Amino acid sequence: MQPSRRLFLLYHELRPVRSSYSYAIETMEFEKHCDLFVQLRQQEKFALGPELTFDDGHISNSQYALPILSSRGIKAHFFITVGWTGNRPNYMGWKELGALHEAGQSIGAHGWTHKLLTHCTEEELRTELGTARLMLEDKLGTAITTMSLPGGRYNRRVLAACEEAGYTEVYTSVPRAETAPIGSLVGRLNIRGDMTLEWISSLFQPGSKVLNGLERQYQMKATAKTVLGDRLYEKLWALLNRKEPDTYDGQG
């Protein structure tokens, strides 16, 4: 039985030990998350189905996430910052990315440099969207039609550029459930290390209103970004989430 709605969950990095960085999830906790998702999918009736996504292409996606997912028969969607692949320490190379693809995991683009697309010139958009997609297709030998927005930032101009570049699904950081079949703009919920298994489970309970509250919070943060500007907002975000030198913002 297929659920009538899906909740796309956004992960970034896994670590074998607990970290103060908000968007690094302990591997043991991630295993518990995956066990929960398997249990949910085995229920005779469930209205909201979990879907897993990862942003950026951190090496832990290959080292830790892939074995955990494979052992449970779970397919996830990995969005790759293509210019970092094989070039940035602690991020996957093409060998690791190829192993993800060969294992049956889905691959999408997450830009070339992770620059916020709303800040890009027309030429930069062609690189972040078009060049990134073509490089992935060339290296992996498969069509790339999905794009995750760096920082979750977008406007009409960015969405038009994504469509022109050949993407049929664009993934955001808006925490909302999607009705199946999903449309071209897909919301996701960022998963943080302080989110307990019980809290995550509550998202999928019949009649749960948790997502409604999260979407309201997101709209408040969106307003704050507009008022403060991206640069100041990201500085405040980094302080609150104990951002580390080799990590990007947890908004994707």
Side-chain angles (χ1 to χ4, degrees):
M1 177 181 175
Q2 294 297 318
S4 58
R5 296 190 304 152
R6 301 177 188 176
L7 178 58
F8 289 82
L9 306 171
L10 169 54
Y11 293 86
H12 290 83
E13 177 184 343
L14 301 184
R15 297 186 185 182
V17 295
R18 185 173 296 277
S19 169
S20 61
Y21 174 53
S22 297
Y23 289 91
I25 309 299
E26 189 178 4
T27 52
M28 186 176 296
E29 285 301 307
F30 182 68
E31 289 185 282
K32 294 177 182 177
H33 294 186
C34 289
D35 288 339
L36 169 65
F37 303 148
V38 170
Q39 292 172 12
L40 288 170
R41 291 174 176 177
Q42 290 175 341
Q43 294 177 5
E44 290 187 9
K45 294 182 179 181
F46 64 113
L48 185 61
E51 301 288 345
L52 279 67
T53 72
F54 288 79
D55 274 4
D56 300 337
H58 193 268
I59 188 63
S60 63
N61 295 179
S62 173
Q63 288 179 332
Y64 304 125
L66 180 58
I68 293 171
L69 295 169
S70 297
S71 67
R72 292 159 174 79
I74 297 176
K75 303 299 182 184
H77 208 121
F78 293 83
F79 293 99
I80 308 302
T81 305
V82 183
W84 294 356
T85 306
N87 295 315
R88 183 168 178 167
N90 298 319
Y91 286 80
M92 287 186 287
W94 291 107
K95 179 180 179 181
E96 291 81 11
L97 191 53
L100 280 179
H101 175 59
E102 290 174 6
Q105 303 295 331
S106 297
I107 307 295
H110 193 44
W112 185 265
T113 66
H114 205 291
K115 184 173 182 177
L116 300 181
L117 300 181
T118 49
H119 294 187
C120 288
T121 64
E122 295 301 320
E123 182 177 353
E124 288 171 334
L125 280 176
R126 285 191 287 271
T127 299
E128 296 293 331
L129 298 172
T131 304
R133 182 179 67 82
L134 293 174
M135 177 66 79
L136 283 174
E137 291 186 337
D138 179 64
K139 292 290 188 177
L140 299 178
T142 188
I144 302 296
T145 60
T146 57
M147 171 73 190
S148 167
L149 299 163
R153 311 294 205 281
Y154 67 95
N155 52 29
R156 290 182 181 178
R157 172 173 163 267
V158 166
L159 294 181
C162 288
E163 183 178 4
E164 183 178 351
Y167 297 105
T168 58
E169 292 177 7
V170 177
Y171 288 71
T172 73
S173 300
V174 181
R176 69 184 184 209
E178 299 291 344
T179 302
I182 62 173
S184 58
L185 195 63
V186 184
R188 294 181 297 172
L189 171 62
N190 263 303
I191 299 298
R192 302 190 311 269
D194 61 351
M195 293 175 173
T196 66
L197 182 68
E198 291 74 21
W199 185 87
I200 293 174
S201 178
S202 72
L203 294 167
F204 298 92
Q205 298 305 312
S208 174
K209 302 297 183 182
V210 177
L211 272 177
N212 294 335
L214 291 174
E215 192 164 359
R216 286 194 296 270
Q217 292 176 21
Y218 177 87
Q219 296 304 328
M220 292 174 63
K221 288 194 294 183
T223 300
K225 292 175 189 176
T226 301
V227 173
L228 297 173
D230 285 328
R231 185 169 298 179
L232 179 56
Y233 180 85
E234 287 180 10
K235 287 182 179 179
L236 291 173
W237 184 95
L239 179 64
L240 292 172
N241 291 278
R242 298 182 177 87
K243 178 183 173 184
E244 298 168 356
D246 196 39
T247 57
Y248 200 76
D249 71 36
Q251 300 302 311

